[in-house]
Amino acid sequence: MKNYILPDEWKIIEEGFNPELNMISESLFSLGNGRMGQRANFEEAYSGQTLPGNYVAGVYYPDKTRVGWWKNGYPEYFAKVLNAANWIGINIVLGDEQLDLALADVKAFRRELNMKEGYLKRTFLASTPQGKEVSVETIRFCSLADDATGAIKYTITPLNYSGPITITPYVDGDVVNKDSNYDEKFWDEVSKENWADGGYVQLRTRKTGFEVATGQKYHLSAGGMSVSVNKQLIEKDKYIATALTLQTVAGQPITITKFAANISSLNYDSQALKEVLISTLNSISAKGFDQMLAEQAAAWDKKWQHNDIIIEGDTSAQQGIRFNIFQLNQTYTGEDDRLNIGPKGFTGEKYGGSTYWDTEAYCVPFYLATADQKVTRNLLLYRYKQLGKAIENAKLLGFNNGAALYPMVTMDGTECHNEWEITFEEIHRNGAIAHAIFDYVRYTGDEQYLTDFGLEVLIAIARFWAQRVNWSSDKAQYVMLGVTGPNEYENNVNNNWYTSKLATWCLQYTLTVAAKVKAEHSEVYAALATKIGLDEQAEFAKFRDIIAKMYYPKDEKLGIFLQQDGYLDKEQILVNDLPAGDRPLNQKWSWDRILRSCFIKQADVLQGLYFFEYNYDIDTLRRNYDFYEPRTVHESSLSPCVHAVIAAKLGDEARAYEFYLRTSRLDLDDYNNDTEDGCHITSMAGTWLAVVQGFGGMRVKDDKLYFNPFLPAKWGSFSFHIGFRGNLLNIKVGKEGVRIKNLSGNEITVTIYNKDQKVTSDTEILVEAR
């Protein structure tokens, strides 16, 4: 665990130059705006350890799968969001020396991510090998107001050197992905052009044919005044630059302001990209850096007004939750139903930037409460539009009659995950998608979604479950064989409790929704039945039979649901009894040893109890929690948040707080020793869950909001906003009780500590602490 980020409520601060930590910092200080983003690479050249990363949302490449032994059903490729053209580059040469912090004597260094206003600032003082001292201040951001653009203000001051300096702003499209399966480059040049004050490169992805035009405009000044310089236009393959050489005087600051844009064929016709790019660059450069920065601050202020969480008395916890919320808002804005949320967002290449079940299980509740409902609706539409592909995926594995298996990993709906035990077995992802539909409708009341889109998806998923189960003559029950649950430290198991429970829940929910749509929209229902060839009597009878006769493993003596058949055959060792040197298991043990152990990567049975808590009494929750948590190593970023929510439900403040702090600072403190690959964006939504559903005790039942909050001992108070069915509430939990402020124009009734409270428009009430 690292501990080098300084505590601050609104900023992420790194003080001092630590080359060995640079790739971690590149992840932590990443920027994005939903359309584009980049890691916190330096603008100037850097020959030390670095992972260059500039990304354009929705633009991907099908990198051919690389495996030792091909199995029938393997996906042909792994889809990857590409490292795109580097737009931030500004080379600095002092006389004949290139400024490179890996070679310089760095006397002072500070990197600061301002989360309140949405920009990255870096300052340093360095001496080159020849002894030239310079100070540098650079500020950059990806604009929320103009979401295809970014801007940089880079100021360099020679301190003991007078003479020539060459500043070279550039756009470099000759880039690679570190995780390329065959060390292949994914971009071809379409066109490029240099102008007097900028230039552009237009690139096309191989195979998928996406085109992106990346351009720059710049302005140079010395001592606050425009200067004339010698210009050398440079062009290479996929690269344009302008070398600007001028004479400098010691102590005189030189500033280059760089405006950049990425214009994608995802949003414009390929033939129009250059024209749109030029217009965009002209527009933002006319605004100027200061106006763009002010608009950025205003856009972030609007977001924080809705989704900030304020924690009094605990700076570490406050910094953690804001960092998580900040990164979630940088990653996804919900404006485009063709886009989704990669587990690393715009902060790294791992997981390829593809969509996983993380979105439905963890991110949906966050966006439901903190954004307009269209944001979550677009996440659901993303899956609806890929239903045909999900049916094709199931057909490749031998399923028929319109059964759908949504992919574990995807860009366009095609399965592109290349580990068999996940691709073929981790089928619970299907249930997470169904549960997201349930979550959305329960939260928003938008039942029309079920009629228009949801029921069709639910029936396709239910058909999969109906075919995936087996009838066991021995048990005289249905069983679920050869699956992998959320605990990926178990593969190819029989009767994973969570998967089986999710399957029957999905079957029942499908029947409930079908009956509702049929009763209220009979013509739409009849048209859908015809479209998908639904044999209602036979198929629904099969669904009901499976629901009634499904086998679930459990241990009556311990009073727990068994993770899967035979789980108790494993040697039962608790995590606390493991030598510290054995952790993390995935980096220290062989896979064989992990699979034979009782250790759990992340919530599995407890994931099911989190989803379906309302079906179980408190004693059932406690028995299962007390049994499984001590066996859980939490080596998935998705694990601590679920445990935090359940611990809070059980009144276990110590463990709830421990898991909250772990999930909120997972990346900031590099708990799992993997932040250099990128931040864990989807698990960041779990941090919000730990506060709002955990300490805040928020639930939605019977079309109402319920809160059963408690105040952690280390906090003076905490507060959060909840958007619910056209209402915006501020909930503040303090020592005196719970304050509820209705910030909208509608009266609303909420339930606090099991008692209804009416809150009229623009008023605040206090419910005394229990």
Side-chain angles (χ1 to χ4, degrees):
M1 189 174 98
K2 316 296 188 303
N3 189 24
Y4 71 98
I5 297 300
L6 300 182
D8 189 280
E9 293 186 350
W10 276 109
K11 296 176 181 178
I12 307 302
I13 302 169
E14 176 186 16
E15 190 80 62
F17 186 54
N18 305 294
E20 72 280 4
L21 301 174
N22 185 56
M23 288 176 61
I24 297 172
S25 293
E26 286 180 342
S27 298
L28 295 178
F29 292 85
S30 294
L31 295 173
N33 60 15
R35 288 285 182 192
M36 57 184 272
Q38 97 280 321
R39 287 169 60 82
N41 311 122
F42 299 157
E43 288 89 355
E44 71 277 354
Y46 184 66
S47 59
Q49 279 199 325
T50 182
L51 176 61
N54 289 270
Y55 311 103
V56 178
V59 176
Y60 67 92
Y61 178 85
D63 195 11
K64 183 172 174 54
T65 298
R66 187 169 191 167
V67 292
W69 177 29
W70 194 272
K71 296 180 179 69
N72 190 35
Y74 260 156
E76 295 182 2
Y77 63 83
F78 194 103
K80 295 172 178 175
V81 169
L82 301 184
N83 192 4
N86 176 10
W87 63 269
I88 67 171
I90 303 173
N91 275 343
I92 305 292
V93 177
L94 302 162
D96 59 357
E97 274 190 298
Q98 185 173 64
L99 180 60
D100 180 346
L101 293 190
L103 305 177
D105 177 14
V106 182
K107 301 177 184 298
F109 181 95
R110 182 180 174 94
R111 190 161 17 190
E112 180 179 296
L113 181 65
N114 186 313
M115 298 182 290
K116 189 172 187 178
E117 298 182 7
Y119 65 83
L120 173 61
K121 180 179 180 180
R122 181 170 59 103
T123 58
F124 64 84
L125 174 66
S127 178
T128 69
Q130 293 179 13
K132 300 183 184 75
E133 277 198 358
V134 296
S135 68
V136 170
E137 177 183 282
T138 175
I139 298 174
R140 76 171 185 246
F141 57 91
C142 293
S143 174
L144 283 180
D146 300 287
D147 66 6
T149 74
I152 303 169
K153 188 175 186 178
Y154 190 101
T155 300
I156 180 168
T157 305
L159 300 178
N160 65 351
Y161 168 72
S162 297
I165 181 171
T166 300
I167 300 175
T168 307
Y170 64 86
V171 174
D172 184 8
D174 191 22
V175 294
V176 296
N177 269 54
K178 179 183 177 182
D179 67 348
S180 170
N181 283 338
Y182 294 90
D183 299 322
E184 182 182 4
K185 291 186 177 180
F186 300 140
W187 295 96
D188 290 323
E189 182 181 302
V190 176
S191 62
K192 62 175 177 277
E193 192 175 324
N194 252 328
W195 312 312
D197 60 352
Y200 84 99
V201 175
Q202 186 164 328
L203 304 174
R204 180 188 297 119
T205 60
R206 297 172 184 175
K207 296 185 181 178
T208 45
F210 293 106
E211 293 191 20
V212 178
T214 303
Q216 65 175 16
K217 286 193 76 171
Y218 58 82
H219 176 262
L220 189 69
S221 65
M225 304 291 290
S226 295
V227 291
S228 59
V229 297
N230 291 325
K231 293 185 180 181
Q232 180 187 359
L233 302 183
I234 303 169
E235 292 188 4
K236 297 185 290 188
D237 182 42
K238 310 174 202 170
Y239 177 97
I240 61 97
T242 304
L244 307 168
T245 302
L246 67 157
Q247 295 296 314
T248 187
V249 178
Q252 181 183 64
I254 303 165
T255 298
I256 181 167
T257 305
K258 181 173 178 177
F259 304 94
N262 285 302
I263 306 299
S264 166
S265 63
L266 198 68
N267 305 307
Y268 301 95
D269 184 88
S270 296
Q271 302 302 313
L273 294 187
K274 177 183 174 181
E275 179 184 348
V276 175
L277 174 69
I278 292 172
S279 174
T280 302
L281 289 172
N282 287 339
S283 173
I284 61 174
S285 61
K287 285 184 182 180
F289 186 87
D290 290 344
Q291 183 179 336
M292 286 188 71
L293 188 59
E295 290 175 356
Q296 176 80 341
W300 272 106
D301 181 64
K302 185 176 180 180
K303 285 190 176 294
W304 287 119
Q305 285 180 25
H306 195 139
N307 56 36
D308 190 20
I309 290 179
I310 299 173
I311 298 171
E312 295 181 340
D314 191 336
T315 301
S316 182
Q318 178 68 85
Q319 184 181 45
I321 187 62
R322 281 192 174 132
F323 177 68
N324 285 257
I325 294 171
F326 178 76
Q327 290 291 1
L328 283 162
N329 280 298
Q330 287 199 125
T331 301
Y332 184 76
T333 60
E335 297 299 322
D336 191 335
D337 63 27
R338 298 168 299 175
L339 303 179
N340 209 280
I341 305 163
K344 296 291 184 181
F346 295 121
T347 71
E349 297 178 11
K350 193 174 182 182
Y351 305 116
S354 297
T355 301
Y356 286 65
W357 68 287
D358 308 19
T359 292
E360 283 76 23
Y362 296 88
C363 297
V364 158
F366 168 78
Y367 290 108
L368 279 173
T370 65
D372 189 278
Q373 74 179 49
K374 74 174 184 180
V375 172
T376 305
R377 201 171 197 269
N378 278 342
L379 287 174
L380 300 187
L381 286 173
Y382 177 88
R383 294 292 195 178
Y384 173 77
K385 291 181 176 181
Q386 295 177 359
L387 178 57
K389 289 280 190 180
I391 292 170
E392 288 179 21
N393 294 336
K395 192 172 182 179
L396 287 171
L397 300 183
F399 297 88
N400 55 41
N401 190 37
L405 176 59
Y406 276 92
M408 186 66 182
V409 176
T410 195
M411 286 290 183
D412 67 353
T414 305
E415 176 66 79
C416 57
H417 198 283
N418 57 13
E419 295 178 36
W420 69 269
E421 66 273 13
I422 292 177
T423 306
F424 304 152
E425 294 184 351
E426 202 164 332
I427 54 177
H428 65 82
R429 75 252 192 175
N430 244 19
I433 291 165
H435 194 268
I437 296 172
F438 165 74
D439 238 2
Y440 170 77
V441 175
R442 172 178 60 170
Y443 197 93
T444 65
D446 180 14
E447 294 186 350
Q448 189 62 41
Y449 183 85
L450 296 174
T451 303
D452 295 342
F453 308 107
L455 179 57
E456 186 175 355
V457 172
L458 291 171
I459 290 174
I461 291 174
R463 283 170 161 175
F464 170 82
W465 291 125
Q467 295 176 44
R468 185 58 173 76
V469 298
N470 291 59
W471 175 255
S472 167
S473 299
D474 178 61
K475 289 183 171 64
Q477 288 179 289
Y478 289 98
V479 295
M480 188 85 72
L481 307 179
V483 300
T484 297
N487 173 26
E488 293 170 343
Y489 289 175
E490 298 273 11
N491 298 153
N492 198 30
V493 302
N494 293 335
N495 300 308
N496 172 259
W497 181 85
Y498 170 69
T499 305
S500 297
K501 179 59 64 174
L502 199 54
T504 53
W505 170 86
C506 180
L507 292 170
Q508 182 58 64
Y509 184 53
T510 302
L511 292 173
T512 301
V513 172
K516 184 176 184 62
V517 173
K518 185 177 183 180
E520 298 176 1
H521 305 278
S522 58
E523 292 183 3
V524 175
Y525 181 83
L528 175 61
T530 300
K531 174 185 175 181
I532 64 176
L534 177 66
D535 183 345
E536 180 181 323
Q537 185 173 354
E539 292 189 64
F540 285 7
K542 179 67 177 293
F543 294 177
R544 293 187 186 97
D545 196 47
I546 294 169
I547 293 166
K549 299 174 183 175
M550 178 64 85
Y551 164 73
Y552 306 103
K554 64 185 300 186
D555 184 271
E556 298 291 351
K557 183 177 179 182
L558 294 172
I560 62 169
F561 305 119
L562 285 183
Q563 186 175 267
Q564 73 269 342
D565 283 349
Y567 179 77
L568 291 178
D569 292 337
K570 294 169 177 284
E571 185 179 6
Q572 296 297 311
I573 304 172
L574 304 186
V575 174
N576 285 343
D577 295 329
L578 277 173
D582 282 10
R583 304 281 304 278
L585 300 185
N586 58 22
Q587 297 176 26
K588 301 296 181 66
W589 281 17
S590 70
W591 193 240
D592 168 73
R593 188 179 180 188
I594 290 174
L595 291 176
R596 289 186 288 107
S597 78
C598 72
F599 297 117
I600 300 168
K601 180 183 179 187
Q602 68 189 83
D604 195 304
V605 168
L606 298 183
Q607 181 74 39
L609 293 177
Y610 165 70
F611 272 173
F612 306 124
E613 167 199 295
Y614 47 83
N615 288 332
Y616 303 101
D617 60 40
I618 199 74
D619 289 336
T620 300
L621 294 176
R622 181 172 286 108
R623 284 194 305 271
N624 281 276
Y625 188 86
D626 288 346
F627 180 82
Y628 284 109
E629 193 287 316
R631 292 161 172 79
T632 303
V633 291
H634 303 290
E635 289 174 11
S636 165
S637 64
L638 300 174
S639 188
C641 60
V642 171
H643 288 80
V645 173
I646 299 177
K649 171 73 175 180
L650 296 174
D652 188 341
E653 178 184 335
R655 283 196 287 188
Y657 184 80
E658 173 193 347
F659 286 124
Y660 162 73
L661 206 59
R662 178 164 180 167
T663 189
S664 71
R665 299 193 63 87
L666 181 76
D667 290 308
L668 289 177
D669 294 335
D670 195 22
Y671 267 91
N672 289 348
N673 198 33
D674 60 359
T675 303
E676 66 182 31
D677 297 326
C679 294
H680 298 81
I681 300 299
T682 49
S683 81
M684 289 176 168
T687 305
W688 182 90
L689 296 174
V691 174
V692 175
Q693 294 184 358
F695 305 135
M698 189 196 86
R699 302 292 189 272
V700 178
K701 295 183 286 187
D702 304 321
D703 298 322
K704 284 198 305 185
L705 284 173
Y706 284 68
F707 296 93
N708 190 31
F710 72 89
L711 182 66
K714 294 185 177 182
W715 297 358
S717 69
F718 70 98
S719 64
F720 53 89
H721 291 88
I722 292 294
F724 181 74
R725 302 193 180 190
N727 299 282
L728 179 61
L729 303 176
N730 178 259
I731 312 295
K732 183 174 183 179
V733 182
K735 291 181 170 56
E736 76 284 6
V738 183
R739 292 189 179 276
I740 310 159
K741 188 172 185 179
N742 186 350
L743 302 171
S744 54
N746 307 312
E747 180 178 282
I748 186 172
T749 298
V750 298
T751 303
I752 309 290
Y753 299 133
N754 299 316
K755 185 176 180 181
D756 285 352
Q757 304 286 343
K758 188 175 292 185
V759 192
T760 57
S761 171
D762 298 315
T763 61
E764 180 181 294
I765 66 169
L766 171 65
V767 179
E768 293 184 358
R770 291 192 306 179

